[in-house]
């Protein structure tokens, strides 16, 4: 009788989470469509080319897909040793904002301009911070169990928050603060230590608002936008008009009225208002369903990761995307005071688009293991 021989080890080739990739690519093309829709009127009036913003966004997509391909196939484990270098470079870029290379727009200096190319360092700092935190905790996971063990990550997040708030950019600062807390929680920080951090973090928000008069004005407009319908309350009111006009089923693709130079930043920070106006409440349910699906796939990849570094990296990337998407939706719907923040993968803004597509490439790479 022939014995059945069972190999002790079978080498399995994993294909990765294609559902994540398809969802991300699909959402990014939806973004291109609505960037064109939201900007075509203002682009034609301002630049004489209704495709002006759409063409820029398409170039960002091509660069982003190239970065995503690199992220998909380059061994993510190799980022571990270089993470401190990447994070240091991101700090240097943030500091360059305050040099002659800094580019000011709408009263804030949040970009650097080199050879005609504009870069937003705060977007790059997010993924670099995630890599640094993942590398730090993966070297010794027990570090998260002590407050002093968490201090390096806290300090790194605090430095980035300080540099970003000086630009000033409160929205990204808040997102970065939430990201830091999320990473510490995922790493296994003790509940008592986590609560101790939440108290000063919560107190910082009103202090930051009080520190700048324009933030107080925005808070006042949030509480009662009708008090200044042509001033600080204007943008929120126009956003609500757009969402309200959409009704259940929307006005139809390319048929938004608020984008006709009523709603400022309709192709970037407030693109969700135009989307809601054109596809309606039912369409937004499916739209947010896709965003939620991407977050769920990211969490699933993190949970199934075979190594701690991959787990922390997947958690960080998913949290960056989820937190920023949530904050943008809350701003656009008037749930929190209005502030400038792009909707990831959808809003115009090539730095954000390229960094997020690259990050999802890395996330897919993790799913292959």
């Amino acid at each position: 009788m022939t014995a059945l021989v069972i190999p002790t080890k079978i080498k399995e080739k994993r294909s990765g989470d294609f559902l994540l990739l398809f969802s991300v690519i699909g959402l990014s093309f939806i973004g291109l469509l609505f960037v064109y829709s939201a900007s075509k009127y203002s682009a034609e009036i301002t630049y004489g080319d209704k495709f002006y913003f759409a063409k820029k966004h398409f170039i960002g997509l091509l660069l982003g897909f190239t970065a995503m391909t690199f992220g998909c196939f380059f061994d993510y484990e190799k980022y571990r040793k270089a993470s401190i270098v990447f994070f240091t470079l991101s700090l240097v870029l943030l500091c360059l904002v305050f040099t002659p290379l800094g580019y000011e727009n709408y009263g804030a200096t949040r970009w650097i301009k080199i050879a005609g190319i504009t870069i937003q360092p705060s977007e790059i700092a997010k993924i670099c911070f995630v890599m640094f935190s993942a590398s730090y905790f993966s070297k010794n996971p027990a570090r998260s169990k002590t407050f002093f063990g968490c201090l390096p990550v806290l300090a790194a997040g605090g430095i980035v928050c300080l540099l970003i708030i000086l630009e000033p950019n409160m929205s990204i600062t808040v997102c970065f603060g939430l990201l830091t807390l999320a990473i510490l929680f995922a790493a296994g920080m003790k509940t008592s230590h986590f609560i101790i951090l939440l108290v000063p973090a919560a107190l910082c928000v009103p202090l930051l608002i009080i520190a700048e008069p324009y933030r107080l004005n925005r808070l006042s407009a949030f509480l009662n936008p009708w008090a200044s319908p042509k001033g600080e309350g204007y943008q929120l009111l126009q956003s609500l008009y757009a969402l309200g006009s959409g009704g259940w089923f929307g006005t139809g693709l390319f048929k938004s009225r608020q984008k006709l130079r009523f709603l400022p930043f309709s192709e970037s920070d407030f693109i969700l208002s135009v989307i809601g106006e054109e596809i309606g409440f039912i369409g937004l349910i499916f739209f947010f369903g896709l965003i939620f699906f991407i977050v769920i796939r990211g969490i699933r990849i993190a949970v199934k990761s075979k190594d701690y570094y991959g787990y922390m990296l997947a958690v960080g990337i998913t949290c960056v995307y989820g937190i920023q998407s949530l904050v943008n939706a809350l701003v656009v719907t008037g749930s929190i005071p209005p502030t400038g923040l792009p909707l990831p993968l959808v809003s115009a803004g090539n730095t954000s688009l390229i960094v997020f597509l690259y990050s999802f490439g890395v996330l897919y790479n993790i799913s292959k293991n």
Side-chain angles (χ1 to χ4, degrees):
M1 186 174 179
T2 306
L4 179 63
V5 179
I6 301 176
T8 57
K9 186 177 181 180
I10 300 174
K11 190 174 182 180
E12 181 183 2
K13 186 177 181 181
R14 299 293 298 276
S15 58
D17 192 336
F18 280 112
L19 284 176
L20 172 75
L21 276 188
F22 292 151
S23 301
V24 168
I25 292 171
L27 185 60
S28 62
F29 275 115
I30 290 173
L32 175 63
L33 177 69
F34 281 106
V35 165
Y36 166 70
S37 176
S39 67
K40 66 174 185 175
Y41 180 79
S42 60
E44 188 166 21
I45 296 296
T46 307
Y47 301 101
D49 179 8
K50 65 180 180 180
F51 294 101
Y52 177 81
F53 289 103
K55 286 190 290 190
K56 288 180 66 176
H57 196 76
F58 182 70
I59 293 171
L61 268 184
L62 294 179
L63 294 173
F65 288 147
T66 302
M68 175 188 270
T69 303
F70 178 81
C72 285
F73 295 104
F74 185 81
D75 185 6
Y76 71 88
E77 280 284 348
K78 294 183 179 179
Y79 297 131
R80 191 199 299 250
K81 292 182 179 178
S83 62
I84 186 66
V85 177
F86 294 149
F87 182 66
T88 303
L89 287 175
S90 72
L91 292 180
V92 171
L93 290 174
L94 284 170
C95 291
L96 287 177
V97 167
F98 307 104
T99 70
L101 291 175
Y103 176 72
E104 182 178 346
N105 196 19
Y106 296 102
T109 309
R110 303 171 182 174
W111 304 266
I112 56 175
K113 198 168 188 177
I114 304 174
I117 298 174
T118 306
I119 301 170
Q120 190 169 3
S122 58
E123 297 293 336
I124 299 172
K126 295 172 192 172
I127 183 63
C128 292
F129 175 72
V130 167
M131 288 180 176
F132 166 77
S133 302
S135 175
Y136 174 78
F137 283 122
S138 66
K139 290 176 182 176
N140 182 6
R143 286 170 168 171
S144 64
K145 302 303 179 183
T146 66
F147 192 80
F148 287 104
C150 295
L151 275 180
V153 172
L154 268 174
I159 291 170
V160 174
C161 285
L162 177 63
L163 291 172
I164 295 175
I165 198 63
L166 290 175
E167 293 177 349
N169 192 337
M170 184 173 175
S171 55
I172 297 294
T173 303
V174 170
C175 285
F176 218 101
L178 292 173
L179 171 64
T180 303
L181 292 174
I183 287 176
L184 290 172
F185 181 80
M189 189 181 204
K190 287 185 176 180
T191 306
S192 57
H193 295 163
F194 192 75
I195 293 173
I196 291 172
L197 280 179
L198 281 178
V199 175
L203 290 174
C204 280
V205 175
L207 290 176
L208 289 174
I209 293 174
I210 295 171
E212 291 287 347
Y214 79 90
R215 292 182 193 136
L216 280 173
N217 292 335
R218 286 185 177 181
L219 178 61
S220 175
F222 162 70
L223 296 173
N224 184 14
W226 287 105
S228 55
K230 295 183 179 180
E232 288 293 338
Y234 178 80
Q235 189 160 22
L236 177 57
L237 287 174
Q238 298 305 316
S239 176
L240 296 177
Y241 286 154
L243 294 171
S245 299
W248 285 98
F249 300 103
T251 57
L253 191 61
F254 307 131
K255 295 181 179 179
S256 164
R257 291 182 289 270
Q258 292 305 113
K259 69 185 180 186
L260 304 179
R261 306 194 85 176
F262 293 107
L263 177 64
F265 307 109
S266 59
E267 75 285 347
S268 54
D269 298 342
F270 279 77
I271 195 170
L272 185 59
S273 305
V274 175
I275 295 173
E277 185 179 5
E278 294 188 350
I279 67 176
F281 181 75
I282 300 299
L284 281 179
I285 290 176
F286 287 99
F287 180 79
F288 280 111
L290 181 56
I291 292 175
F292 184 70
F293 180 77
I294 292 172
V295 172
I296 292 298
R297 300 308 293 187
I299 294 173
R300 181 176 179 272
I301 291 168
V303 170
K304 291 194 170 187
S305 179
K306 299 300 182 183
D307 64 283
Y308 194 78
Y309 179 66
Y311 160 73
M312 288 301 300
L313 203 55
V315 165
I317 292 170
T318 305
C319 284
V320 171
Y321 177 73
I323 289 170
Q324 190 161 325
S325 298
L326 176 63
V327 173
N328 178 272
L330 292 175
V331 167
V332 167
T333 56
S335 303
I336 60 175
T339 184
L341 185 74
L343 181 61
L345 300 177
V346 180
S347 293
N350 284 353
T351 306
S352 174
L353 181 62
I354 293 168
V355 170
F356 271 107
L357 285 172
Y358 163 73
S359 300
F360 279 114
V362 175
L363 189 58
Y364 169 79
N365 198 334
I366 297 170
S367 73
K368 293 193 295 183
N369 295 302

